[in-house]
Amino acid sequence: VQLQASGGGVVQAGGSLRLSCAASGRDFSTYVIAWFRQAPGKGREFVAAIYSGTDPSTYYTDSTKGRFTISRDNAKNTGYLQMNNLKPEDTAVYYCAARVDVDYDFEYKYWGQGTQVTVSS
């Protein structure tokens, strides 16, 4: 699986952006899709994940709950991260990642290149 993230940009606090993660390869619908971010001088942080299935479970880090929404369109082999009410502390490089949806291996083996999100105050 190859992933390509896009949709980053510069936005004022309170604004919105939608990130996309386009995947190539087979069996996209069977993968867990996640977003991570890395701010300058900080480690990589989990943001959100969406599992496989017809009614997939979603998970968010506490700081993004209620503001960010992760989704997927399996027909388009694409995952999304809708980010609303953005805050300056959301400024980071955002990465999408994927792993097979199994309960014995939680390592994200596939990563896209990052897309920069900058929120000005």
mmCIF file of all heavy atoms in Angstrom, residues 9 34 67 81 100:
data_model
loop_
_atom_site.group_PDB
_atom_site.id
_atom_site.type_symbol
_atom_site.label_atom_id
_atom_site.label_comp_id
_atom_site.label_asym_id
_atom_site.label_seq_id
_atom_site.Cartn_x
_atom_site.Cartn_y
_atom_site.Cartn_z
ATOM 1 N N GLY A 9 -2.351 23.261 4.692
ATOM 2 C CA GLY A 9 -2.278 24.659 4.303
ATOM 3 C C GLY A 9 -2.190 25.554 5.512
ATOM 4 O O GLY A 9 -1.947 25.091 6.632
ATOM 5 N N ALA A 34 -5.094 5.751 9.792
ATOM 6 C CA ALA A 34 -4.863 6.645 10.930
ATOM 7 C C ALA A 34 -4.155 7.909 10.481
ATOM 8 O O ALA A 34 -3.514 7.953 9.431
ATOM 9 C CB ALA A 34 -4.043 5.937 12.001
ATOM 10 N N ARG A 67 -13.766 18.111 17.423
ATOM 11 C CA ARG A 67 -13.321 19.074 16.410
ATOM 12 C C ARG A 67 -12.913 18.378 15.112
ATOM 13 O O ARG A 67 -13.115 18.915 14.026
ATOM 14 C CB ARG A 67 -12.135 19.882 16.932
ATOM 15 C CG ARG A 67 -12.425 20.694 18.184
ATOM 16 C CD ARG A 67 -11.268 21.631 18.532
ATOM 17 N NE ARG A 67 -10.029 20.912 18.802
ATOM 18 C CZ ARG A 67 -8.893 21.108 18.135
ATOM 19 N NH1 ARG A 67 -8.838 21.983 17.160
ATOM 20 N NH2 ARG A 67 -7.805 20.406 18.466
ATOM 21 N N LEU A 81 -9.522 13.441 6.916
ATOM 22 C CA LEU A 81 -9.547 14.005 8.256
ATOM 23 C C LEU A 81 -10.096 15.418 8.136
ATOM 24 O O LEU A 81 -9.413 16.307 7.630
ATOM 25 C CB LEU A 81 -8.155 14.019 8.890
ATOM 26 C CG LEU A 81 -8.132 14.499 10.345
ATOM 27 C CD1 LEU A 81 -8.824 13.479 11.258
ATOM 28 C CD2 LEU A 81 -6.692 14.734 10.825
ATOM 29 N N VAL A 100 -2.934 -3.411 8.531
ATOM 30 C CA VAL A 100 -3.980 -4.413 8.344
ATOM 31 C C VAL A 100 -4.796 -4.493 9.636
ATOM 32 O O VAL A 100 -4.246 -4.424 10.737
ATOM 33 C CB VAL A 100 -3.366 -5.785 7.995
ATOM 34 C CG1 VAL A 100 -4.466 -6.826 7.811
ATOM 35 C CG2 VAL A 100 -2.548 -5.676 6.709
#
